[in-house]
């Protein structure tokens, strides 16, 4: 979730001071791609056994330009010049737990004479604090629990390795950590998902979250004073190093595996809901849950009551007699039996391709041993989770999970990403956008849309996430891994988003995101007309939108496969896996496992449903009906549940992009309906 890095040089080393400074600055700036929300660096003075920490709610590239950083760096380099050695640990943060605006929540975390930097999320942090009342919580950040527990164990044991293992087996989620102490001449590097790499020679050790960062150091000659520093090593999942500062001797260790009967106590409503979903899935029934379980109006009753849910009126809309698509759907036509043209033109996603064919396709990409050989784009959603599981467990590949965080990935999704990668022992490379800028772009587009609301312009709200394709190609180049396997699900095909922009459906498109040349031109013309009507769209997001269009529709896709072209997608199997195998956390405001990690979906689906009487849920269930996966009666019951407005998620979404909730909802509610109230 973040970038961690460090450089440790033993005393009496003769390495050039300028090289040391350049190496630290370079590895810091490279790590910024992992997170730009906040940053920090800690310097340890070996002889004095003191640690100085500089941190703040700025990117690491700005931090290393600050006067305080340069002051502490100069002090540390002078100490190194006087044979004291050099130790610096740093962190580039993508905020998950704890606001970056409160300095104590930023990393490195200084607690009980220990300094810890942590990449990942500890998902059972609250339970660990409750179960260990002998330690005191000071901060919101989950990282604190790791150092607090280790220090607590060291009070009763002088064995550092035993203390570390006793703590690590309690942690759920993902962690790659670097830990240093005021009073011990040892530091610890450890990971449960392999997202930690290092270069070691007789004079120094440098570590980082990605091998690519270390490759860049070497290729740019930052190691020019170091003889034969050419081997980058990965700390394998569930392994670690204890390194002596003075001698740079390394003690490798394995993290004890979790006890098979270890379970966290869960007594909240979400656990009850999950249990209900699992039971229904296992019994072969569709999960239909009382929506009152999910809605918590709290003190914001006046805002909650603004939301419309016109179910009675929407029930009266004419729908296809085979699927669920209503007469308000763009370019829909019905035959004499009431069956729509989308059903008549549907081509089954049940492919003749087999898993044996996929095995043959991926065979040339296999590298064997522990070498990474595949990239799985991982949004944290249910389909990408299922894909990552199959690639690792069934295909036997050694994947990297790649996540692009554009600012709308919810904390729930991040926690589920941590759960899955931690349990699979899979490295998770996260490319973090300039999240503040991305959210600002969304705000500008929504405010322009509010002035002239047109349903065909709604996809602009999501333009920023399409860079997933671009950055996946970048990760391919950086890692040297060609093969990428996506969990794109053809059942998610909608047609209406471009349909509201005047583009007729293309029933012969090759992939879910294909657009014909004619429709591409129509799309540009439609957007151009709306730019004239609402000039607020002409803002800094235009480059994002154009880049997004190119990344999705134009950029070449090589060594690229869709898993569900070979594996038949099955909702019961997917739910069983994410809920049972990976202990997924569910959203509090919906009965489905779909789209719960995407902060945007609840908002745009509210618009579509309120104005047009249907949403993505209707198209998804309709596609399932056409594939024979679900009967129409069950699908109707499900969409009525799934289309209940998701107040909590919408509230979070509009607040985080700084759009007034009341103004936005009232604008949506005033748009003329496509049906009679």
């Amino acid at each position: 979730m973040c970038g961690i890095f460090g450089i440790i040089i033993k005393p009496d080393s003769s390495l050039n001071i300028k090289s040391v400074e350049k190496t630290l600055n370079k590895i810091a700036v490279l790590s910024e791609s992992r997170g730009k929300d906040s940053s920090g660096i800690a310097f340890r003075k070996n002889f004095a056994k003191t640690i100085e920490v500089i941190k703040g709610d700025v990117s690491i590239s700005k931090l290393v330009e600050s006067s305080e950083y340069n002051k502490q760096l100069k002090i540390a380099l002078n100490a190194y010049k006087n044979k004291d050695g050099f130790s610096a640990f740093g962190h580039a943060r993508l905020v998950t737990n704890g606001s970056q605006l409160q300095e104590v929540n930023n990393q490195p975390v200084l607690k009980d004479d220990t300094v810890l930097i942590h990449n990942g999320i500890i998902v059972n942090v609250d339970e660990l604090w409750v179960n260990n009342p002998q330690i005191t919580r000071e901060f919101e950040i989950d990282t604190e629990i790791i150092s607090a527990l280790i220090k607590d164990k060291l009070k009763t044991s002088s064995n550092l390795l035993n203390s570390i293992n006793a703590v690590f087996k309690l942690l759920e989620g993902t962690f790659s950590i670097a830990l240093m102490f005021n009073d011990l001449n040892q530091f610890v590097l450890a990971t449960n998902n392999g997202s930690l790499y290092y270069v070691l020679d007789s004079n120094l050790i440098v570590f980082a979250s990605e091998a690519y960062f270390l490759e860049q150091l070497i290729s740019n000659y930052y190691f020019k004073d170091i003889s034969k520093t050419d081997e980058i090593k990965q700390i394998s999942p569930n392994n670690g190093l204890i390194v002596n500062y003075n001698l740079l001797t390394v003690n490798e260790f394995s993290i004890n595996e979790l006890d098979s009967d270890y379970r966290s106590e869960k007594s909240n409503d979400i656990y009850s809901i999950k249990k209900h979903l699992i039971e229904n899935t296992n019994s072969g029934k569709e999960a239909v849950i009382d929506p009152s379980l999910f809605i918590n109006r709290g003190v914001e009753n006046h805002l909650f009551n603004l939301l419309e849910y016109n179910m009675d009126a929407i029930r009266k809309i004419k729908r296809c007699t085979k699927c669920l698509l209503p007469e308000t759907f763009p370019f829909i036509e019905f035959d004499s039996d009431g069956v729509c043209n989308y059903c008549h033109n549907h081509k089954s996603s049940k492919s003749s391709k087999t898993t044996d064919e996929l095995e043959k396709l991926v065979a040339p990409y296999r590298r064997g041993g522990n070498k990474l050989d595949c990239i799985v784009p991982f949004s944290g959603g249910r389909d990408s989770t299922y894909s990552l599981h199959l690639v690792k467990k069934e295909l036997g590949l050694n994947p990297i999970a790649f996540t692009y965080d554009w600012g709308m990935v919810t904390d729930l999704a991040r926690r589920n990403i941590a759960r899955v990668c931690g349990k699979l022992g899979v490295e998770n490379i996260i490319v973090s956008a300039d999240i503040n800028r991305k959210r600002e772009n969304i705000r500008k587009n929504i405010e322009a849309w509010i002035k002239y609301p047109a349903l065909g312009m709604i996809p602009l709200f999501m333009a920023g996430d399409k860079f997933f394709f671009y950055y996946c190609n970048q990760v391919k180049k950086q890692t040297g891994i060609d093969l990428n396997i996506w969990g794109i699900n053809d059942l998610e095909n909608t047609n209406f988003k471009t349909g509201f922009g005047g583009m007729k459906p293309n029933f012969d498109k090759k992939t879910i995101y294909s657009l014909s040349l004619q429709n591409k031109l129509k799309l540009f013309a439609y957007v151009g007309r709306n730019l004239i009507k609402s000039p607020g769209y002409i803002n800094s997001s235009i480059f994002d939108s154009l880049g997004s269009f190119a990344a999705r529709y134009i950029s070449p896709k090589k060594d690229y496969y869709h898993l569900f072209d070979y594996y038949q997608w099955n909702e019961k199997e997917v739910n069983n896996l994410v809920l049972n195998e990976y202990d997924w956390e569910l959203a509090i405001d919906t009965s489905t496992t779909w789209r719960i990690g995407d902060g945007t979906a609840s908002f745009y689906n509210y618009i579509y449903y309120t104005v047009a009487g249907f949403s993505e849920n209707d198209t998804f269930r309709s596609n399932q009906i056409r594939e024979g996966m679900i009967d129409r009666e069950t699908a109707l019951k499900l969409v009525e549940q799934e289309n209940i407005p998701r107040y909590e998620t919408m509230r979070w979404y509009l607040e985080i992009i700084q759009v007034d909730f009341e103004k936005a909802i009232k604008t949506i509610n005033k748009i003329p309906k496509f049906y009679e109230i």
Side-chain angles (χ1 to χ4, degrees), residues 582-597:
Y582 294 107
D583 197 29
W584 246 37
E585 181 180 344
L586 297 174
I588 64 172
D589 56 1
T590 183
S591 60
T592 182
T593 55
W594 188 43
R595 292 280 197 251
I596 61 174

Side-chain angles (χ1 to χ4, degrees), residues 198-256:
Y198 68 98
V199 173
L200 172 70
D201 82 345
S202 58
N203 288 300
L204 96 170
I205 182 171
V206 181
F207 66 87
S209 298
E210 292 182 33
Y212 172 72
F213 301 158
L214 298 176
E215 290 169 3
Q216 289 297 295
L217 285 182
I218 293 170
S219 65
N220 284 284
Y221 305 107
Y222 286 97
F223 290 124
K224 63 183 179 181
D225 295 319
I226 303 167
S227 59
K228 304 213 176 211
T229 306
D230 56 3
E231 187 177 3
I232 298 171
K233 295 181 180 179
Q234 180 185 26
I235 301 179
S236 299
N238 295 311
N239 282 274
L241 310 175
I242 297 176
V243 184
N244 182 283
Y245 280 110
N246 296 324
L247 303 174
L248 283 191
T249 52
V250 174
N251 177 21
E252 299 181 6
F253 66 92
S254 295
I255 298 170
N256 291 335

Side-chain angles (χ1 to χ4, degrees), residues 269 273 290-298 301 304 307 588-590 644-648:
D269 288 340
I273 292 163
D290 180 356
S292 65
L293 285 171
F294 299 91
I295 300 299
N296 176 20
R297 302 182 189 185
N301 196 50
F304 174 83
L307 298 176
I588 64 172
D589 56 1
T590 183
I644 293 171
R646 295 182 57 191
Y647 171 73
E648 282 80 9

